Amino acid sequence: MASGRGRAIVIGAGLGGLASAMRLGAKGWQVTVLDRLDRPGGRGSSISQGGHRFDLGPTIVTVPQGLRELWAACGRRFDDDVTLVPMDPFYRILWEDGSTFTARQDDAAMRAEVARLSPGDVAGYERFLKDSEERYWFGYEDLGRRSMHRLADLVKVLPRFGMLRADRSVHAHASRRVQDPRLRFALSFHPLFIGGDPFHVTSMYILVSHLEKAFGVHYAMGGVQAIAQAMARVVEDQGGQVVQGAEVDEILIANGRAAGVRLADGRVEPADVVVSNADPGHTYDRLLRNHPRRRWTTPKLKRARWSMGLFVWYFGTKGTRDLWPEVGHHSIVVGPRYRDHIRDIFQTGRLAGDMSLYVHRPSATDPSVAPEGDDTFYVLSPVPHLGHDNGIDWQREAEPYRQKMLDMLEARLLPGLAERVTESLVFTPETFRDRYLSPFGAGFSMEPRILQSAWFRPHNISEEVPGLYLAGAGTHPGAGVPGVIGTAEVLATLVPDAPPRRDIARPLPLAAE
């Protein structure tokens, strides 16, 4: 194999992979990012159809300073490359009984919303926010910004986990602070946006409420795709490459270390450092299939608890820009059940007849996503992943499920929708499996339960092969835009600086160049 001295290969141009490439470029590495899709961003990429731009994955930015710090590490200013718009309100929750809850950053407005729903819960709500901030400083600013690959690091923090009752679930913690079931929902549903069951995920994740309060919720003009494209430009300005349409088939090992990759077309790319932004399940079960594994074996990966699947309907509407004025950028339409519905999704694997929906209307903020006067929507429903014994046949169920979604939207949020729909695109868990190589079509890799977080999660520095590192939702600190950007920050503390530039071999030309 040719020398890969001074070269770093990043597998996957998701946000975690691109952030890792930026960090490595800042450390002097000659970086090549290889991605199988047609544009950067991974799950944060987009598809254009009929004049509509459909942002496929994450829709918001909750901790913008993480991106600003990433750009600063590369000697750049994030705000020169991307325009963030603060959301006000953040989102509106709608229940079946007609009641609503509008989330904002303003403290007085939030207290008023809580008092309007349940006056007796205001004091408990304020205590919940204090709990959230305490967990933010420990879970996000401390544990979330350093590697947790040493068992000794976990042992040191166990007493603190105990003091903060990390064994208690997010919903259980919310239930100890407020009594109204609607407020319990409003304070506990957030783990669903990182693939977690609110009734089982550790209460450390209530820190999300502090993230929203302290830093706000933002939308990137041009969508998260615009962030990904800006990241790719930084990598290229550093002298690196971002190559689309290049699928990695295997991580190569030489002298006991990661030494490069073999692409699906047989080409070999040597490197001193390999970073996988692919799901850890795919990385270990497929890309390292010819290498013996000690920890992340095939049986262990099958026993892991994976996050739920996602059913996402992307659609455009004609002449609706001035319709539905109360429907802003983000809405959450809650179904009749909470605990039992979550059990169907995460435990029994049953496709329920009811649903709860997250509705994204980016055209409320960004006119570029749709033709003039029209709207672009993205509606998401959590569903079971593909690994349950009673697996769902999505070839048969997708259209009936979409029709149920349409009926619920018409009845609860968007009257007259059916006659306005023009473009339409559906993603099921099978799409996530095939497009993103996600095990069992899971939406967010491994579920972030306490025994699948921190040290228990696949490490940023591989336990299996020296010279291999992991980034993205499946490693520490976890899913969500702040989480995957954070994986690159942790990774940068583990990868040494590149050797002197004069020793770096020229990268091999790729067919895409």
Side-chain angles (χ1 to χ4, degrees), residues 23 57 64 73-74 79 89 95 126-127 182 232 300 303 330 334 338 355 359 369 381-382 395 483 493 497:
R23 293 277 185 181
C74 302
D79 296 285
W95 286 278
E126 292 178 339
R127 188 174 176 190
R182 295 166 300 179
K300 177 161 184 173
R303 290 195 304 270
H330 303 288
V334 184
Y338 186 23
M355 59 183 70
V359 183
V369 302
S381 176
Q395 298 300 312
T493 68
D497 290 345

Side-chain angles (χ1 to χ4, degrees), residues 234 278 294 331 356 384 402:
V234 173
R294 298 179 299 276
S331 304
S356 289
R402 188 201 67 83

Side-chain angles (χ1 to χ4, degrees), residues 111-124:
R111 281 194 297 271
E113 277 293 278
V114 172
R116 184 176 59 80
L117 282 184
S118 179
D121 278 327
V122 173

Side-chain angles (χ1 to χ4, degrees), residues 37-187:
L37 300 179
D38 64 344
R39 63 188 71 182
R43 299 179 195 215
S45 61
S46 66
I47 289 178
S48 296
Q49 183 175 305
H52 296 266
R53 189 191 72 242
F54 298 118
D55 299 318
L56 299 178
T59 60
I60 59 173
V61 174
T62 51
V63 191
Q65 75 267 25
L67 289 162
R68 292 184 175 114
E69 290 171 5
L70 171 63
W71 255 252
C74 302
R76 305 275 289 253
R77 288 186 72 254
F78 172 77
D79 296 285
D80 289 341
D81 295 339
V82 179
T83 300
L84 290 184
V85 178
M87 299 283 94
D88 184 30
F90 297 162
Y91 48 83
R92 189 166 63 115
I93 303 174
L94 302 91
W95 286 278
E96 273 204 321
D97 64 2
S99 59
T100 63
F101 182 85
T102 301
R104 329 182 91 102
Q105 190 169 13
D106 181 74
D107 287 339
M110 288 296 285
R111 281 194 297 271
E113 277 293 278
V114 172
R116 184 176 59 80
L117 282 184
S118 179
D121 278 327
V122 173
Y125 165 73
E126 292 178 339
R127 188 174 176 190
F128 181 88
L129 287 184
K130 291 179 181 177
D131 297 340
S132 173
E133 181 175 7
E134 188 175 19
R135 284 152 183 79
Y136 161 78
W137 286 109
F138 175 62
Y140 189 93
E141 289 291 350
D142 182 6
L143 300 189
R145 303 190 72 168
R146 57 185 171 98
S147 179
M148 289 295 294
H149 68 283
R150 297 185 183 91
L151 182 58
D153 293 332
L154 174 67
V155 172
K156 289 177 184 176
V157 300
L158 285 178
R160 185 68 171 150
F161 272 117
M163 290 176 59
L164 295 175
R165 293 303 308 267
D167 60 308
R168 187 181 290 152
S169 75
V170 168
H171 186 270
H173 196 95
S175 297
R176 291 176 69 89
R177 297 292 182 251
V178 297
Q179 299 304 309
D180 190 287
R182 295 166 300 179
L183 288 179
R184 289 177 172 179
F185 176 92
L187 297 179

Side-chain angles (χ1 to χ4, degrees), residues 169-323:
S169 75
V170 168
H171 186 270
H173 196 95
S175 297
R176 291 176 69 89
R177 297 292 182 251
V178 297
Q179 299 304 309
D180 190 287
R182 295 166 300 179
L183 288 179
R184 289 177 172 179
F185 176 92
L187 297 179
S188 70
F189 77 91
H190 300 91
L192 290 166
F193 288 112
I194 54 171
D197 171 352
F199 295 89
H200 288 93
V201 164
T202 171
S203 61
M204 294 300 297
Y205 285 100
I206 69 170
L207 63 84
V208 174
S209 293
H210 180 73
L211 292 183
E212 290 184 346
K213 175 179 179 294
F215 309 116
V217 171
H218 300 77
Y219 172 80
M221 297 300 284
V224 171
Q225 177 74 78
I227 298 177
Q229 290 169 331
M231 296 170 91
R233 287 194 297 270
V234 173
V235 172
E236 290 163 353
D237 290 348
Q238 291 172 325
Q241 306 174 86
V242 179
V243 184
Q244 303 297 148
E247 181 172 354
V248 173
D249 181 62
E250 186 175 2
I251 295 169
L252 302 177
I253 313 297
N255 301 317
R257 292 184 56 84
V261 300
R262 178 181 290 113
L263 277 69
D265 63 10
R267 286 175 296 155
V268 169
E269 293 298 320
D272 275 348
V273 167
V274 176
V275 176
S276 181
N277 185 216
D279 190 282
H282 181 77
T283 299
Y284 287 124
D285 221 24
R286 172 66 190 180
L287 301 184
L288 283 177
R289 63 189 180 278
N290 294 319
H291 182 75
R293 288 167 276 147
R294 298 179 299 276
R295 185 179 185 191
W296 296 107
T297 61
T298 297
K300 177 161 184 173
L301 289 167
K302 286 183 177 178
R303 290 195 304 270
R305 298 194 68 95
W306 295 86
S307 65
M308 76 285 195
L310 301 174
F311 184 97
V312 194
W313 180 28
Y314 309 92
F315 61 90
T317 55
K318 185 70 175 174
T320 57
R321 187 66 59 87
D322 296 325
L323 290 182

Side-chain angles (χ1 to χ4, degrees), residues 10 12-21 41 231 275 277 471-473 484-485 487-488 491:
V10 177
L15 298 185
L18 291 169
S20 298
M231 296 170 91
V275 176
N277 185 216
V484 299
I485 297 299
T487 66
L491 181 146

